Every structure is written in C-alpha cells, then in structure tokens.
Amino acid sequence: MTGAAGTAPLVTIDRVHAARDIAADTGADLLVLTPGSDLRYLTGYDAHAMERLTALAVPRRGEPFLVVPRLEAPMVDASPAGALGLEVLAWDETDDPFALLAATATARIGAAPTRVAVGNRTWAEHALGVQRALPGSALELAAPVVDRLRMVKSAAEIEELAAAGAAIDRVHARMAEFLTVGRTEAEVGAMIAAAIIEEGHVGVDFTIVGSGPNGASPHHELSDRVVAAGDVVVIDIGGETATGYRSDCTRTYVVGGSASAEVAEWYGVLHAAQQAATAAVRPGVPAEQIDAAARRVIADAGWGEHFIHRTGHGIGLDSHEAPYIVEGNGIPLVPGMAFSIEPGIYLAGRCGARIEDIVVCTEDGVRPLNVGPRELVELPG
Ligand code: ZN
Ligand code: ZN
C-alpha cells in the first residue's frame, strides 16, 4: 500500500515484527492470519478469502512467512507485500498447506506450537485445519495482538482516514441532489452510492436512508418507503478508499419542510451530546468516559431511554474495529486512536436522529475528520 501522497509506504516489515513481539508478550506461540484486514494491515496484501489457504504465519521465534496457493504467488509479489522481504511458501493443488504451515512453524520455534492465535475473522475451516495439523494445540483469538497495533494509527494512516472523511463529507454536501420528496429510500440510496464512488472511494460499505419512522431503527438500510414532505431522515454512509481505509458519517436532514419545535428541541440535546463527547477526547481518558459524556447530556435532558447504542467504534481498514466507545471499556485513549462519536435519539414509530463524526485523539485533544454542518439540515425537497 502506498500512501495518498504516493511517497512513504503505509506498510513496512516493522508491523510483522511488532506483531511477533506482542504475540511473544501474550504467550502465544504462533499467529496465523488469513485474508482480510489483519493480513492487509500487516503485509499490504489485499487477498481475497476462499477455500484455498492463504496465511501469514508468525512464529514466536524465527522469521514470519506467507503460505499461498502457487497460482496466487505472483499476486503476492505484485502487492506491497512483495517489497517486504517476507518468505513466500507456495503450495501446489495436491499439497496439504496446513501440514506445510505446521512443519515450518515447528522448525522455526524448535518445538510444536501449543498456543495458536488465529484472526478473529479467519474462516473456521482454516482455523480448524491449522489446529488439526498441530495436534494438542489450542486456538485463541489474535485480537489481543493485532488490535494493539491497529488501534493506534500512524500519521500516514490518519491522512488516509482524513482523505476518506473529506470524500464522504463531499457526498453529504451534495445531499439536496439525492434526497427529495417523492423518491423511495432505495432510489435515494442508489444515487448516494454512485456519489460515494464519484467522490473518491473504490467501494460502498453501506447506505442508510432512514426516513420518517425508519429513522428510529439505527441500522435500517433502505426500503421502498417514499420520502414525504416534512420527513426527518437519517443518512449514515460510508465507503472504502483505494488504500482500504474507511469513511463513516451520519447527518440528519428534514426534507420539504421544517422541523417541529419538539424535534428541534431534542435534536439540540443530541447536538450538545455529540459536542460534549468530542470535547472530552484527549490522551489518557478511558474510552468509556467518552460514551458517558454523550449519555449524560441526553439522560439529563430526559431522553436517555431513547439512546439505545454505544457512542462509537474504532475505524481503519475495517469500518468497525477497536477501540469501542462503550461503557465497560476502560482502555485509555492514546494519540493516533481513530473512532466514531455517534450518539442518537430514536423515537419508535415516529423518527430518529444521529450525528456521527470520525475523530482522532491527538497529543493534546481531538481532530474531527468530518467537518460538515452538524445542525439539522433543512433541504428544499
Ligand atoms: Zn459508525
Ligand atoms: Zn455510521
């Protein structure tokens, strides 16, 4: 992966070596990561998941290696992983890739690994294949190792997230083109999806158009409901950029009318909650306190029972990753952590509202990566 500026590489071999050190720290003997964001983060190889085994193996001693189907070895070379100097073990169609992985890891360590950490999203058939090839081994999740690295973004990664944030802000800025009275949510969603690509993403992760009562369902996506004059509409959208980094931003609109006094009142509470949570971000503050900062404002105003989800989630190569901004997560924020702040208020059967920005914890506070207006935006319809 090369950065947006095309200069410094996003991925260096240091990441794999850091993962080996952390794995040793946790007592894991072997880390096995298959196609997905963990593999892309550590090696730059954006492999597609399928039944044939592709895996990065990181033994606690010796050099890490990649096990790949021989027909895909040229793709590793062509990817940023090709420049890392990682050893690539190619296997032929009739070989047993699990036996190859197990034997190589055992040779590097000098003993058969017993604690094997596999990626949280590794397919079960691959995880169990590794375990079968290492009789007596026990599987555990690799998250404690990889999340420690992925949670804290480098300056280059933050610039990738900032570019993704600016791209999704441009889509929201064009919302009057898409969100009009008489269109269905599905029609609005299709136009937004096209704009997500036009404005600088290579893929659409999700388009939530929650009009009227559908806005009270936080993860509602699209339906055939026709947008009506005076509807409050929750628009939560995100995509993937060429380097794999994600955007995720919610704004709430009123279309073809203006908000009732009651909606304006509780929307003001929501806005204040989002600001309070953002202002609370600085190094050393536990993640759960950011959640508490938003929740307190909403509860104090009497709307607490209508804020039915956590305040946020980390973001990077996945749209949802550590750290989670939720009660019970006492992890202290450190500079470089990037996450959403997205309180909402949901009135079942009527409507809902959410305000979501991606923010980064900096050395002395916070940097929002979404900067579009957070007020209830009135569109002519
Ligand atoms: Zn989000
Ligand atoms: Zn969102």
Side-chain angles (χ1 to χ4, degrees), residues 236 248 313 320 340 342 356:
D236 184 353
D248 183 5
H313 53 82
H320 286 194
S340 70
E342 51 177 308
E356 175 180 26

Side-chain angles (χ1 to χ4, degrees), residues 150-165 245-246 248 274 277-284 290 313-316 323 325 333-341 356-371 374:
R150 289 183 55 180
M151 239 177 345
V152 182
K153 270 69 184 178
S154 67
E157 287 184 283
I158 289 167
E159 288 322 302
E160 295 299 324
L161 285 169
Y245 287 82
R246 311 284 163 148
D248 183 5
Q274 209 268 349
T278 304
V281 174
R282 62 183 178 279
I290 307 305
H313 53 82
I315 188 167
I325 309 301
L333 299 182
V334 302
M337 283 183 176
F339 50 88
S340 70
I341 295 186
E356 175 180 26
D357 290 331
I358 303 304
V359 305
V360 179
C361 180
T362 62
E363 293 294 337
D364 55 2
V366 63
R367 174 184 172 195
L369 301 184
N370 299 107
V371 297
R374 301 177 183 90

Side-chain angles (χ1 to χ4, degrees), residues 131-357:
Q131 190 183 34
R132 261 196 307 274
L134 291 165
S137 67
L139 298 182
E140 57 192 78
L141 294 176
V145 177
V146 253
D147 286 359
R148 249 164 77 181
L149 291 168
R150 289 183 55 180
M151 239 177 345
V152 182
K153 270 69 184 178
S154 67
E157 287 184 283
I158 289 167
E159 288 322 302
E160 295 299 324
L161 285 169
I168 209 70
D169 280 359
R170 290 194 293 273
V171 178
H172 272 293
R174 292 175 54 192
M175 200 53 65
E177 292 175 42
F178 321 129
L179 181 56
T180 59
V181 172
R183 285 191 181 133
T184 66
E185 290 176 355
E187 288 166 345
V188 174
M191 297 176 84
I192 292 173
I196 288 174
I197 303 298
E198 285 162 21
E199 297 296 347
H201 300 83
V202 298
V204 177
D205 282 338
F206 51 88
T207 50
I208 293 177
V209 180
S211 68
N214 291 338
S217 169
H219 279 178
H220 171 81
E221 289 219 333
L222 301 169
S223 79
D224 290 330
R225 185 182 182 279
V226 176
V227 176
D231 274 355
V232 177
V233 186
V234 178
I235 307 274
D236 184 353
I237 51 180
E240 173 185 1
T241 62
T243 50
Y245 287 82
R246 311 284 163 148
S247 63
D248 183 5
C249 180
T250 310
R251 292 293 184 261
T252 302
Y253 298 84
V254 182
V255 58
S258 45
S260 69
E262 194 220 43
V263 169
E265 192 252 291
W266 59 254
Y267 189 88
V269 172
L270 179 65
H271 191 183
Q274 209 268 349
Q275 285 178 314
T278 304
V281 174
R282 62 183 178 279
V285 174
E288 64 183 354
Q289 278 189 28
I290 307 305
D291 180 81
R295 208 163 295 280
R296 194 177 307 122
V297 173
I298 293 174
D300 285 354
W303 297 94
E305 66 181 295
H306 300 289
F307 178 17
I308 55 175
H309 55 69
R310 66 188 178 208
T311 291
H313 53 82
I315 188 167
L317 292 173
D318 284 315
S319 12
H320 286 194
E321 58 182 57
Y324 294 98
I325 309 301
V326 63
E327 185 179 340
N329 186 6
I331 190 169
L333 299 182
V334 302
M337 283 183 176
F339 50 88
S340 70
I341 295 186
E342 51 177 308
I345 291 179
Y346 307 96
L347 308 178
R350 295 168 59 198
C351 64
R354 181 163 64 254
I355 306 170
E356 175 180 26
D357 290 331

